[in-house]
Amino acid sequence: MSVMTTLRTDHVACGTDGAMDLHVWVPDTAPRAAILVIQEIFGVGAYIRAVAERLAGAGYLVGAPDLFWRFAPNWESDHTEDGLNASLEKVQQLDFPNAIADCAAAVAHLRAQPGISTAPAVLGFCLGGTVAWGVAANAEPSCCVGYYGSGVPSMIGLIDQVSCPTLFHFGNNDPYIPNEGVDAVASALAGRPGFLLNVENAGHAFDNHESAMFYNEGAANAAWAKTMTFLATNLPT
């Protein structure tokens, strides 16, 4: 039986800079656990909304922050070449430490919601995969899932600051993340309990079913099954 969800928009205070929109999906069965889903460069568009719906359908309270709120509120682009180029221009304006701090504030906001009994997880895609790793190193989520975060290999030195279970997904044919970078992540994770690496036979953004350029159904389904198993183990509903 599918779980019905409702959508609302909360406002999360981000220091003295103002408030960020946090789109929140609430399952009709009272949730006990929450997940922060962090967007790609394309914004909180159809793909991120679909991911959030899937997770809420599994019983999680799900929040997706408007990461570009300071300079492009509610930015959303399609997955055409023009949309990709426009989004790449937008992401150049993102202050990365601010993005991590904003997401940490959103994690705290979700943790404070009625019925949530433990720290939320962070789950990010592309840009969001990198930000999620930064949140794991600077806040205390229950667990972290990162899909093809291009900044993760250069930030893997943060691993000593991360105490939560973490699952990384990469593709072995990703033009944005050379295999040497994935190998560096694998080396850093070796011998550390709680850290998992999954490499699919795919390119970048293979989970994004909205993108004809990137989507790989087989890899997406395989990685999603691993993600749900990981979440069920580390953040049961």
Side-chain angles (χ1 to χ4, degrees), residues 170-175 199-206 214-216 219-220:
F170 292 102
N172 62 4
N173 190 28
D174 188 331
V199 180
E200 296 291 342
N201 185 23
H204 193 68
F206 59 77
F214 297 127
Y215 182 52
N216 183 314

Side-chain angles (χ1 to χ4, degrees), residues 84-106:
L84 174 62
N85 290 333
S87 297
L88 287 170
E89 289 180 6
K90 290 296 180 187
V91 79
Q92 298 304 314
Q93 300 177 57
L94 184 68
D95 181 285
F96 202 73
N98 274 343
I100 292 172
D102 292 348
C103 287

Side-chain angles (χ1 to χ4, degrees), residues 1 24-25 27 80-81 100 110-111 122 128 167 193 195 216 223:
M1 183 173 64
V24 180
W25 287 258
T80 62
E81 185 173 351
I100 292 172
L110 290 177
R111 176 68 180 89
V122 288
L167 168 62
F195 290 88
N216 183 314

Side-chain angles (χ1 to χ4, degrees), residues 74-192:
N74 298 309
W75 167 260
E76 182 180 337
S77 69
D78 59 26
H79 294 79
T80 62
E81 185 173 351
D82 286 345
L84 174 62
N85 290 333
S87 297
L88 287 170
E89 289 180 6
K90 290 296 180 187
V91 79
Q92 298 304 314
Q93 300 177 57
L94 184 68
D95 181 285
F96 202 73
N98 274 343
I100 292 172
D102 292 348
C103 287
V107 167
H109 179 85
L110 290 177
R111 176 68 180 89
Q113 298 308 297
I116 301 304
S117 59
T118 190
V122 288
L123 189 162
F125 299 88
C126 190
L127 166 66
T130 302
V131 174
W133 180 236
V135 174
N138 289 277
E140 295 185 352
S142 62
C143 57
C144 172
V145 180
Y147 277 75
Y148 32 78
S150 60
V152 168
S154 64
M155 294 167 56
I156 198 62
L158 295 175
I159 194 167
D160 288 334
Q161 296 175 219
V162 178
S163 58
C164 68
T166 299
L167 168 62
F168 291 117
H169 297 290
F170 292 102
N172 62 4
N173 190 28
D174 188 331
Y176 301 102
I177 309 173
N179 286 334
E180 307 88 81
V182 180
D183 291 343
V185 173
S187 296
L189 268 52
R192 291 179 181 260

Side-chain angles (χ1 to χ4, degrees), residues 6-28:
T6 56
L7 174 62
R8 70 174 194 248
T9 301
D10 292 355
H11 305 287
V12 178
C14 296
T16 60
D17 293 336
M20 173 181 66
D21 282 357
L22 179 68
H23 308 289
V24 180
W25 287 258
V26 185
D28 62 359

